[in-house]
Every structure is written in C-alpha cells, then in structure tokens.
C-alpha cells in the first residue's frame, strides 16, 4: 500500500513526491522513510511508486493511430485516424497541471506518425495520410509549442520506426516489399542527413539504448503466395553521426515489437511472426553497450498495436491489453492494475510523459466502460 506525506503550501495540502537528504555534500533521493511507533520502525513514506491517477481531460476528439511524445513542459499527442478513411491534423497538448490545449496543427492530416527529438525540438514526421498513401512532411515543435518545418523524410516512415541517438532524432523507412531502406537523421539544428538499414524490411521497431538508436526485427513479404514471409531478428544501431553497427539480434525473429525504456535498458516487448499468425510474449533488453539480455515475458502474448508505453522516473509503464505493467530499473516486472471486462480495453493508443505524470491517450476499443468499440478520446493518467 502506498504511504503518503502531505505538506501545507499556500493553505493547501500538497502531496510530497520526492524527498532528498544531504550526504557528504550530495543530495541523495530518499526511497523509504520510517518513524518510530511504540519502539518499532514503521514506514510512513515510500517514494518512486507509480499510482493510477485516473481519467483526465479528454482529447479534442476520439482517434486511433495517434503518436505521443514530450517537449519542455508538455506531453503531445499528434495526428490519428478519426474514421475508417479520415485522418486528423490535431496536436493535443497537456501541461504539468494536466491542462489540455490544442496549440498547433500538423502540416497535413495523418496517423502512425514517426516521432523523435532533435535538440530542443520534438519531431512528428512521415506517417500515413490515407489508408494506402504515405506522408513525407516533418513538423518540428519547440518548448513553447511553436511549429516549424524540417526537411521531408521518404515515404514509408511510420511509427514505430523512429528513435533518438543522443541529441539527434532518426526516422526510418519500414517497408516489407523491398527497395526501401533509408534512414533520416535530424540534428539539433534540424539539419538532415541520410543513411540506410542493413536490409530493407517492414515491421521494424525503434528505440534508444544509451547514445544509440536501435532498430530491431522486421520482415520481407513476397507477392508470390507460395512463398512465406521472411522474418528477421536483425538489430541495426546508429550513433549520432549516423554510423551504423550491428548489435546482437533479437532472441526471436519477429515484427511489430514494442520498444520502451526501463532504467538503463531498452526493451523490445512482444511481437509477431509465422506470417503474422503467432503472437509472442518475449521481452529482450539492451543496455547502453548494446549487450542483450532477457526480461520477464509479457503475461499475454501481444504485438505493438495492442500496447502503449512510456518511461516514468526510470520505470517502464506498459499498457498491455487489459493490464498495466511496470518494469523497474532492475527489469523486475509487476502488474500495477488489471482492467476488468466492464471497463474494457483498447488498441492503437499512444503515451507520453509530462512532469510526474504518464498519460495514455486515444485508441480504439471499449475502454472507459463503453458498450461498443469506438475511436476513443479517453486519457488515463498515472503519477509517481
């Protein structure tokens, strides 16, 4: 059970979220605090515990295929699909008080947008602008939520083929039918440079491991129905100069894994293989030296469409179908909560961090106690 401490500020009780104590001139974070009761030490405060905060102000409108990221004091959710055929330009912003605004629009309506950071900018680029065509525009938004344009990326740059390498952001083409393997790096001045994956493939997932952008998995599909799809465990690592190196491959070849950071590790969770028919629960973890280890498996085999995740104070918080999972800095997995059938689940949601809150937004499903599947404006918050 969470232990809480409050302090009076301006006549209001404010919850204490962090406590520090000076040790040899260095501020050290307190993890647990005790008080003597009847000669026994009792815990009266525990720091660093993630808790559900509940539902907050909804998105401007319900969408799936939106993308989340953070910049300055804001969590942003960009783009998405509103109906089976229409995409949106919306950028929903939440500040550290969870006040919701829609400060800017994307340059064109699209969903499944790549997102990464480049210096003091967050980028939203590429994506799909119809169910069969791809956008190439790249929008850059700064700390004050002012939007500018960066150089276009190529077609087929879609979430989650995007990651950071140091202060630079990288977007990659994720295309399963050959001939498309470009990666696009944006430095802190939004100058673009280009490179390539070791092999072009679709279903790639990207994340950041130390100063590397790591892109893992993927497949090549053939128009000849007599040929099975070929799945890869390939892991391409790029530094901030766009130099590519080969990291140890995933433990299982697969597509559509979900990437999220836990402490010093980058996790690749779940995925699919066997012509898309087999879902996986495997979780691979890479440290900053790109050494691979294995974390606890997902309780249920899933692929990225069915997950959303973020990193809150070093812990990975992963909405995995009907469960909210935590992977801590030691890769220990716990189940924070389970959503019952009455509350429902969702797919194709997005997540972003602002201040001490982690927000999970949008998607498609019945989450929130709805009677039928719909594109959701629901935003759930967690705090630490």
């Amino acid at each position: 059970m969470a232990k809480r401490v409050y302090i009076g500020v301006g006549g209001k009780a404010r919850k204490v979220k962090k406590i520090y104590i000076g040790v040899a001139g260095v501020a050290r974070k307190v993890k647990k605090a005790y008080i003597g009761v009847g000669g026994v030490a009792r815990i009266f405060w525990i720091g660093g515990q993630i808790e559900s905060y509940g539902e907050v102000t909804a998105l401007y409108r319900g969408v799936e295929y939106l993308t989340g990221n953070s910049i300055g004091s804001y969590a942003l959710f960009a783009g998405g699909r509103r109906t089976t055929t229409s995409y949106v330009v919306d950028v929903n912003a939440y500040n550290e008080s969870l006040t919701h605004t829609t400060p800017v629009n994307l340059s064109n309506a699209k969903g499944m947008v790549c997102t990464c950071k480049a210096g003091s900018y967050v980028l939203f680029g590429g994506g799909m602008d119809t169910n069969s065509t791809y956008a190439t525009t790249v929008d850059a938004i700064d700390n004050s939520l002012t939007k500018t344009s960066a150089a276009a990326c190529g077609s087929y740059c879609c979430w989650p083929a995007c990651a950071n390498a140091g202060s630079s952001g990288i977007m990659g083409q994720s295309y399963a039918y050959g001939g498309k393997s470009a990666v696009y790096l944006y430095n802190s001045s939004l100058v673009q440079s280009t490179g390539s994956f070791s092999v072009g493939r679709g279903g790639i997932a990207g994340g950041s491991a130390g100063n590397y952008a790591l892109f893992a998995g993927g497949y090549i599909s053939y128009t000849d129905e007599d040929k099975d799809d070929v799945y890869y465990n390939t892991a391409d690592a790029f530094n901030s100069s766009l130099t590519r190196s080969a990291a140890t491959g995933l433990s299982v070849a697969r597509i559509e894994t979900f990437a999220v950071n836990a402490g010093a590790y980058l996790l690749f969770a779940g995925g699919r293989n066997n012509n898309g028919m087999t879902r996986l629960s495997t979780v691979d973890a890479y440290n900053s030296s790109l050494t691979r280890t294995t974390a606890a498996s997902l309780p249920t085999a899933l692929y990225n469409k069915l997950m959303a995740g973020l990193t809150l104070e070093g812990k990975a918080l992963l909405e995995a179908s009907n469960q909210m999972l935590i992977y801590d800095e030691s890769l220990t997995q716990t189940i924070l909560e389970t959503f019952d059938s009455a509350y429902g689940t969702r797919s194709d949601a997005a997540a972003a961090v602002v201040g001490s809150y982690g927000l999970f937004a949008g998607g498609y499903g019945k989450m929130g106690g709805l009677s039928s599947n719909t594109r959701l404006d629901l935003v759930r918050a967690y705090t630490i």
Side-chain angles (χ1 to χ4, degrees):
M1 180 180 294
K3 309 292 183 179
R4 300 182 177 91
V5 171
Y6 294 83
I7 190 170
V9 178
K12 294 183 179 180
R14 303 292 190 184
K15 186 169 69 173
V16 174
K17 296 180 179 179
K18 298 179 183 179
I19 297 175
Y20 293 85
I21 190 170
V23 179
V26 179
R28 303 293 189 184
K29 186 162 64 174
V30 175
K31 295 182 178 180
K32 294 181 181 179
Y34 295 80
I35 190 171
V37 179
V40 178
R42 304 289 190 185
I43 294 176
F44 73 90
W45 183 81
I46 299 175
Q49 304 300 303
I50 297 177
E51 301 175 341
S52 176
Y53 185 83
E55 297 178 14
V56 299
T57 304
L59 299 172
Y60 171 63
R61 50 186 164 182
V63 288
E64 60 184 339
Y65 300 164
L66 69 170
T67 305
N69 209 331
S70 306
I71 190 69
S73 300
Y74 298 93
L76 304 180
F77 296 98
R81 192 170 74 166
R82 176 62 175 160
T83 70
T84 55
T85 58
S86 65
Y87 291 77
V88 302
V89 297
D90 307 351
V91 177
N92 291 266
Y94 292 83
N95 67 14
E96 293 182 351
S97 299
L98 302 184
T99 301
H100 171 251
T101 57
T102 50
V104 294
N105 288 333
L106 296 177
S107 55
N108 59 301
K110 53 188 176 177
M112 296 182 68
V113 179
C114 278
T115 185
C116 51
K117 292 180 181 177
S120 59
Y121 298 93
V122 61
L123 305 184
F124 294 102
M128 300 189 71
D129 51 15
T130 75
N131 290 336
S132 59
T133 60
Y134 294 82
T136 60
T137 53
V138 178
D139 294 312
I141 300 174
D142 66 15
N143 293 336
S144 61
L145 303 186
T146 301
K147 186 188 76 175
T148 189
S149 295
C153 62
S155 297
Y156 311 108
C157 290
C158 291
W159 182 90
C162 42
N164 277 89
S167 61
S168 297
I170 298 178
M171 305 177 189
Q173 291 182 312
S174 183
Y175 185 69
Y177 301 98
K180 306 291 183 182
S181 61
V183 296
Y184 302 86
L185 179 144
Y186 298 83
N187 69 14
S188 58
S189 299
L190 301 183
V191 176
Q192 184 197 77
S193 53
T194 60
S196 65
F197 291 124
S198 58
V199 60
R201 55 204 193 272
I204 300 170
S208 299
N211 290 319
Y212 294 96
L214 190 60
F215 296 86
Y219 77 119
I220 293 178
S221 185
Y222 297 96
T223 55
D224 185 346
E225 294 182 358
D226 292 332
K227 291 185 177 181
D228 289 334
D229 296 341
V230 177
Y231 287 80
Y232 289 82
N233 70 341
T234 303
D236 291 326
F238 295 89
N239 65 15
S240 59
S241 299
L242 208 53
T243 302
R244 189 186 72 226
S245 57
T248 302
L250 297 173
S251 61
V252 180
R254 60 196 192 266
I255 62 171
E256 297 171 355
T257 183
F258 192 91
V260 65
N261 291 95
Y265 295 94
L266 169 63
L267 309 184
F268 288 104
R272 296 194 292 176
N273 58 19
N274 188 28
N275 290 338
M277 300 301 294
T278 301
R279 298 180 183 181
L280 301 168
S281 59
T282 307
V283 180
D284 291 319
Y286 290 82
N287 66 15
S288 59
S289 300
L290 304 183
T291 301
R292 192 199 76 205
T293 187
T294 302
S297 296
L298 299 173
T300 304
L302 300 169
Y303 62 107
N304 59 19
K305 178 183 177 73
L306 304 176
M307 292 182 275
L310 50 79
T311 304
L312 191 59
E313 292 288 327
K315 297 176 175 62
L317 189 57
L318 187 62
E319 186 180 290
S321 186
N322 69 329
Q323 293 179 317
M324 186 62 74
L325 307 178
I326 297 173
Y327 286 87
D328 69 13
E329 297 89 339
S330 301
L331 302 184
T332 301
Q333 182 203 90
T334 56
I335 299 174
L336 178 62
E337 63 178 333
T338 299
F339 308 117
D340 62 25
S341 57
Y343 190 70
T345 61
R346 60 182 163 185
S347 63
D348 301 304
V353 172
V354 58
S356 60
Y357 297 98
L359 306 182
F360 292 78
Y364 181 81
K366 298 180 182 178
M367 183 170 277
L370 302 179
S371 59
S372 60
N373 290 323
T374 189
R375 289 167 184 86
L376 301 167
D377 61 5
L378 175 73
V379 181
R380 290 182 54 84
Y382 294 81
T383 189
I384 190 166

